[in-house]
Amino acid sequence: MTVPALELRGISKRFGAVAANRSVNLTVQQGEIHAVVGENGAGKSTLLQIAAGIQSADAGEIIIRGERLIRPTAARAIARGIGMVQQHFLLIPPFSVAENVVLGAEPRRGPRLDRHQAEAEVKALADRFGLAIDPSRRVADLSVGEQQRVEILKVLYRNAELLILDEPTAVLAPVEVDDLFSVLRVLVAQGRTVIFVTHKLREVMAVADRVTVLRRGEVVADARTSETSMDELARQMVGDAVRLPGVEPGLREDARVPPPSRDPALEIDGLHVLGAHGRPAVRGVSLRIMHGEITGIAGVQGNGQTELVEAAAGLLPYSGSVRLDGHPIDTLAPGERLAQGLAHIPEDRQQRGLVLEFSIADNLILGSQRRFSRAGRLLRHAIDLNARRRVEDFDVRPPRPATGVHALSGGNQQKVVVARELSRRPKAILAAQPTRGVDIGAMEIIHRGLRSARDAGAGILLVSADLGELLDLADRILVLYRGEVVGEFRRGEATEAAIGTLMVGGRAAPHPPRAAD
Amino acid sequence: MLAVVGGLFIFEVIALAYGEQPAAVLGDLWAGTWGTGYGIGQVLFKTTPLIFTGLSVGVAFRAGLFNIGAEGQAVLGALAVGVVGSSLPESTPAVVAVPLCIGAGFAAGAAWGVVPGMLKARFGAHEVITTIMLNFVAMAISSWLVVTWLVVPETLHTRAIIEPARIWRLEAFIPGFRGSPANAAFVLGLLVAAAMSWVLFRTRVGYDLRALGLAPAAAEYGGVLVKRMTVLAMGLAGGLAGLVGTNFVLGYKYYHEEGFSAGVGFLGIAVALLGRSHPVGIVLAAMLFGTLSQGGLAINALVPKETMEILQAVIILVVAAAAGISSRRRLQA
């Protein structure tokens, strides 16, 4: 057997009281696609950031092609051929693709950047690895999938032999995921090695050669994908048997307790919203969500979903009208809308949904400060009681209300947001990407919460990049493309293929687009 | 701590360069500050205005705003204290006169803080620029009013405030402080710091204000009226700075004088930084800077008092660097 591309030996890392990695061993062979899976907070990102020199380990060794990496830093790791594509892209939007790629290692002519040389080099690199992209375009104008390619190019430009991708598919549409996978296959065919982190076991089975499962900072399994199964991996990730969404047949036709009522919970009429740079982002969207109904919004990121939700929540100015339970709420400020019973699970949980420096308890009253205070004084006792209850209901870990939310994993942060929003007993819920980047366990809990809110009569607008989630939960699915509703599917008549085609601007073959209600 | 030790070390090197015994300089430094009753009184007197300006900058920081205007707010606050204090009839009882004067200082400072708050809320004007500019305007207003209307001939100060408005010197209670102008304004400072702590951490307004400072998008989402809170926070910051006048006017000179503020507003920025914008930290940091500025006078015979300013500068630099490092660490975690 050849020398492994990367070997991690006995890696341990603690953040305060939390052990992120506990003497983890990981071996990645040259030329393989290696998936690292695990729940949120299992220590996947930390482990790979250590491998890439971005974080330092408390103990353990990093061995790259047989040689130990001494005093690891990101620069040393890159010099030894390890490059990481972070979950959140680090690009400069007004710069061109080529400028972003060469940044920090620019070809120069005298003191000046040699733009032609840069573009030529980037073009050659893109062609070689099958990454279709025009190096002269501005990054600001690219789709998310294209931006990801720029990130991959950045790493390749620095001669990375081993590419580490942190949750590369979390932001992509299904078609883009396929493209990404073919890029990964080309990379491996050309002798590179790929490690990627994911929650989606389907992807592991589709593209990876080998998979390592982390749970609570420890390796619990390491297997060839041909010798394992999705069920087995899911069990290993969570530690006990869980129901995997979308795996059991018949789940999609699940028996609905009360059918949707005839009264609309949320009505949106002729909504127009301007997005960044004053471009129209939502163009005349109308929809009506009944009590006890979940309406899904499918679409590739950047087609107006974000603006649609933020406008309905009162966070962006708009024209058109929004009615909650029959009453117009257009003149109400965001806080007043929350108070009237419009819950909002924001897409950007870290900036919008949480005050990271606040404790779990304090975050659980955000938007309900008034209810938890008397004569301007915060009611500490009630706040703590509320926190203990929510933390238990949603299995937030660690279950200590005084913990700062910044110390929680992404999945647990999202549980805090969802717990808070559902505890308002809302009439309608705007749920934007409620399970993006969270693990199976958290996803299960969040879905259960949404279903029970629906059964309690809430009308839910569910925006998701995950078609499987929409097909599981939604009573009907609207497809948003360039700010307009281009198609509508009822439960049962929707297929991933049909929705996927509409999402990228194609014509619907089986079901012609219908005007929304 | 490290900052203070590092600063002291450099200070010692400078003392050596002046050909003085470092130990002797340190001895004088101690004797002039915490070593004698008079020294302690002087330190507390110098600490008091820094508590107010530190709290002023600190509360703005908590709301995500940078109040560089404490200097101007303090000047106008003191002017208001002086004007109200000297206009009251001599027969006003102290229980009326003192609160009126304190209120006037707070109100004038608050009014001067509300202006940049409104400019930001209405037009998006950055508060750093507007507060710096308004400092000059405040000082000009004060000069003009004092020189043309209020001045006592042959001086640069206003008429004296009435007897009942004058607050106690601490020497009346602690004989050891004899000769120092430390006064009840220090106690007021401690009370205000305690009140501040309560407001920030125990009330809804404090919750909203801190949320706005830490995560503006989440605050907006959570129903905080961002513009209103910006104006409120700047007004509160201005009012706190306006209380500086209580120390100087009500407790020491009994009149408002041109140029009394001598940079306390700007030093308040360092105090708030060092105290991490926490009221307890601010009081401690104000004590430290109060000690340093009193210490500068104490050792002036041996080495120039400007060396003390070097010491202050080193402390500020180390603290600023440490703040940067610790926030980066947290981001990585």
Side-chain angles (χ1 to χ4, degrees):
Chain A
M1 192 184 262
T2 53
V3 193
L6 174 73
E7 246 187 293
L8 300 177
R9 284 193 200 149
I11 298 286
S12 294
K13 174 79 178 174
R14 302 183 70 84
F15 294 111
V18 186
N21 291 142
R22 279 186 271 206
S23 74
V24 172
N25 295 314
L26 176 73
T27 305
V28 181
Q29 300 298 337
Q30 289 185 33
E32 75 177 4
I33 298 182
H34 194 117
V36 175
V37 298
E39 286 200 293
N40 250 315
K44 309 174 301 283
S45 291
T46 307
L47 182 68
L48 294 177
Q49 288 183 349
I50 288 170
I54 295 164
Q55 298 223 19
S56 59
D58 298 336
E61 297 185 335
I62 302 167
I63 295 148
I64 301 168
R65 268 168 287 134
E67 263 181 77
R68 190 168 157 216
L69 181 67
I70 296 159
R71 287 198 291 129
T73 62
R76 290 201 179 98
I78 290 168
R80 298 280 293 278
I82 295 194
M84 182 152 186
V85 175
Q86 301 268 4
Q87 192 174 354
H88 300 284
F89 301 151
L90 305 168
L91 297 171
I92 303 171
F95 278 22
S96 75
V97 170
E99 285 167 335
N100 267 287
V101 169
V102 302
L103 188 71
E106 303 91 346
R108 291 161 198 271
R109 198 185 314 139
R112 293 187 311 129
L113 167 69
D114 188 342
R115 199 170 307 248
H116 288 291
Q117 174 76 11
E119 286 188 6
E121 284 179 13
V122 171
K123 181 91 173 59
L125 203 59
D127 288 348
R128 186 171 153 208
F129 291 101
L131 291 149
I133 199 152
D134 174 358
S136 62
R137 282 177 68 195
R138 267 176 15 121
V139 163
D141 301 330
L142 300 180
S143 72
V144 179
E146 289 170 319
Q147 290 184 18
Q148 187 174 57
R149 276 179 228 157
V150 179
E151 285 284 359
I152 295 174
L153 279 171
K154 264 166 71 176
V155 174
L156 290 171
Y157 186 76
R158 284 156 185 78
N159 294 317
E161 292 292 326
L162 173 73
L163 286 86
I164 300 174
L165 291 89
D166 194 1
E167 306 236 8
T169 59
V171 292
L172 300 181
V175 191
E176 293 177 314
V177 171
D178 292 342
D179 288 347
L180 173 69
F181 286 171
S182 41
V183 168
L184 296 187
R185 290 195 190 95
V186 174
L187 286 172
V188 171
Q190 303 228 11
R192 308 290 161 117
T193 308
V194 173
I195 304 180
F196 80 105
V197 174
T198 186
H199 297 296
K200 296 179 189 157
L201 298 177
R202 246 177 278 216
E203 295 172 356
V204 175
M205 303 312 283
V207 74
D209 302 308
R210 206 175 174 87
V211 54
T212 299
V213 183
L214 286 183
R215 187 168 78 228
R216 301 202 179 159
E218 289 175 299
V219 174
V220 291
D222 182 28
R224 299 200 67 76
T225 42
S226 51
E227 291 158 9
T228 183
S229 69
M230 281 190 13
D231 281 338
E232 195 180 344
L233 288 174
R235 257 195 308 281
Q236 288 161 342
M237 268 169 71
V238 192
D240 46 52
V242 287
R243 194 164 58 81
L244 206 57
V247 170
E248 294 165 36
L251 187 71
R252 292 178 186 195
E253 320 298 329
D254 68 345
R256 296 281 314 277
V257 191
S261 83
R262 312 285 312 166
D263 298 322
L266 184 70
E267 296 161 276
I268 292 175
D269 266 317
L271 195 77
H272 287 263
V273 188
L274 294 182
H277 315 299
R279 271 180 245 164
V282 177
R283 304 187 294 174
V285 168
S286 299
L287 53 89
R288 181 175 298 163
I289 302 167
M290 303 298 160
H291 283 286
E293 182 193 44
I294 299 181
T295 293
I297 300 277
V300 177
Q301 198 177 26
N303 278 282
Q305 306 89 316
T306 307
E307 290 82 1
L308 170 66
V309 169
E310 296 246 309
L315 293 162
L316 278 181
Y318 58 84
S319 67
S321 80
V322 180
R323 282 190 301 281
L324 180 67
D325 223 6
H327 305 289
I329 55 171
D330 301 306
T331 57
L332 300 185
E336 294 168 320
R337 294 186 192 205
L338 291 178
Q340 294 296 314
L342 179 65
H344 176 199
I345 299 167
E347 181 179 318
D348 188 343
R349 73 181 75 110
Q350 298 211 329
Q351 301 287 326
R352 191 60 108 183
L354 295 166
V355 181
L356 290 176
E357 284 82 354
F358 276 12
S359 65
I360 294 177
D362 281 354
N363 270 292
L364 281 168
I365 65 160
L366 185 65
S368 306
Q369 299 97 305
R370 221 161 265 281
R371 217 153 50 73
F372 285 95
S373 57
R374 192 182 304 139
R377 248 177 58 231
L378 293 174
L379 300 168
R380 276 281 147 213
H381 189 69
I383 292 170
D384 287 340
L385 198 70
N386 170 66
R388 275 202 293 277
R389 204 172 295 153
R390 303 288 159 245
V391 161
E392 199 186 313
D393 284 355
F394 280 81
D395 190 28
V396 177
R397 284 180 236 171
R400 290 189 297 272
T403 310
V405 160
H406 61 85
L408 302 186
S409 68
N412 281 300
Q413 289 179 348
Q414 185 69 350
K415 285 185 208 166
V416 172
V417 174
V418 174
R420 177 185 70 213
E421 294 310 302
L422 298 186
S423 73
R424 298 188 203 285
R425 303 188 174 287
K427 296 170 187 153
I429 302 170
L430 304 164
Q433 314 288 1
T435 60
R436 174 148 81 195
V438 312
D439 55 84
I440 296 181
M443 190 187 286
E444 187 68 7
I445 289 172
I446 291 166
H447 284 175
R448 201 169 57 211
L450 288 174
R451 283 201 183 92
S452 68
R454 173 202 64 193
D455 294 344
I460 302 178
L461 181 72
L462 174 66
V463 175
S464 179
D466 180 352
L467 280 187
E469 174 171 87
L470 290 174
L471 291 167
D472 278 345
L473 290 176
D475 296 295
R476 56 187 186 129
I477 297 174
L478 306 178
V479 182
L480 211 55
Y481 178 69
R482 297 204 173 159
E484 288 175 287
V485 175
V486 294
E488 179 184 347
F489 299 87
R490 301 228 159 251
R491 170 177 285 264
E493 51 177 58
T495 64
E496 281 201 29
I499 296 174
T501 316
L502 282 178
M503 278 168 67
V504 292
R507 287 279 159 75
H511 303 285
R514 250 190 250 171
D517 294 0
Chain B
M1 221 34 244
L2 189 75
V4 177
V5 173
L8 276 177
F9 177 74
I10 292 176
F11 174 69
E12 291 299 290
V13 172
I14 295 169
L16 266 180
Y18 272 97
E20 294 292 340
Q21 284 293 319
V25 177
L26 264 193
D28 274 19
L29 181 58
W30 177 256
T33 54
W34 293 93
T36 62
Y38 170 77
I40 295 175
Q42 285 297 109
V43 167
L44 297 186
F45 175 70
K46 304 240 173 201
T47 296
T48 306
L50 297 179
I51 293 178
F52 291 122
T53 55
L55 289 172
S56 165
V57 178
V59 73
F61 266 148
R62 286 277 178 182
L65 299 163
F66 214 145
N67 179 24
I68 317 279
E71 188 81 14
Q73 293 148 7
V75 167
L76 287 189
L79 176 66
V81 172
V83 169
V84 171
S86 57
S87 314
L88 290 171
E90 197 67 45
S91 58
T92 319
V95 286
V96 177
V98 173
L100 260 182
C101 289
I102 295 175
F106 187 90
W112 209 241
V114 160
V115 174
M118 300 247 270
L119 288 173
K120 173 147 191 153
R122 282 294 288 277
F123 307 109
H126 201 288
E127 76 278 5
V128 168
I129 309 291
T130 52
T131 51
I132 289 176
M133 294 318 212
L134 285 168
N135 280 336
F136 296 110
V137 180
M139 287 179 221
I141 290 178
S142 167
S143 300
W144 175 63
L145 285 179
V146 170
V147 171
T148 51
W149 300 91
L150 305 166
V151 77
V152 175
E154 308 292 310
T155 67
L156 270 180
H157 58 72
T158 61
R159 282 188 297 121
I161 59 172
I162 58 169
E163 199 69 43
R166 302 178 184 186
I167 56 178
W168 297 304
R169 294 278 173 93
L170 293 183
E171 62 188 1
F173 305 94
I174 305 166
F177 285 179
R178 179 139 316 143
S180 93
N183 58 72
F186 176 71
V187 180
L188 178 68
L190 296 183
L191 291 177
V192 169
M196 183 76 204
S197 189
W198 185 79
V199 168
L200 275 179
F201 299 106
R202 290 274 177 268
T203 68
R204 197 178 72 223
V205 169
Y207 178 99
D208 287 358
L209 188 144
R210 286 183 297 128
L212 176 61
L214 292 169
E220 183 191 15
Y221 158 91
V224 175
L225 301 169
V226 174
K227 295 182 173 182
R228 196 180 294 178
M229 189 52 78
T230 301
V231 175
L232 180 76
M234 283 308 292
L236 193 56
L240 289 168
L243 292 179
V244 164
T246 58
N247 188 48
F248 190 85
V249 180
L250 293 188
Y252 176 34
K253 295 277 190 175
Y254 307 128
Y255 50 71
H256 171 68
E257 186 177 37
E258 267 307 285
F260 86 95
S261 59
V264 291
F266 300 114
L267 209 48
I269 299 168
V271 169
L273 272 176
L274 183 60
R276 298 284 158 91
S277 299
H278 193 290
V280 175
I282 286 169
V283 169
L284 294 177
M287 291 244 193
L288 174 66
F289 280 96
T291 306
L292 293 179
S293 68
Q294 172 58 22
L297 298 177
I299 54 154
N300 208 8
L302 298 177
V303 292
K305 68 175 191 296
E306 281 73 18
T307 50
M308 269 303 173
E309 288 170 17
I310 297 179
L311 181 48
Q312 287 185 359
V314 171
I315 292 173
I316 294 169
L317 282 175
V318 174
V319 167
I325 290 167
S326 70
S327 72
R328 201 165 333 136
R329 283 227 182 98
R330 250 230 3 260
L331 277 182
Q332 280 179 358

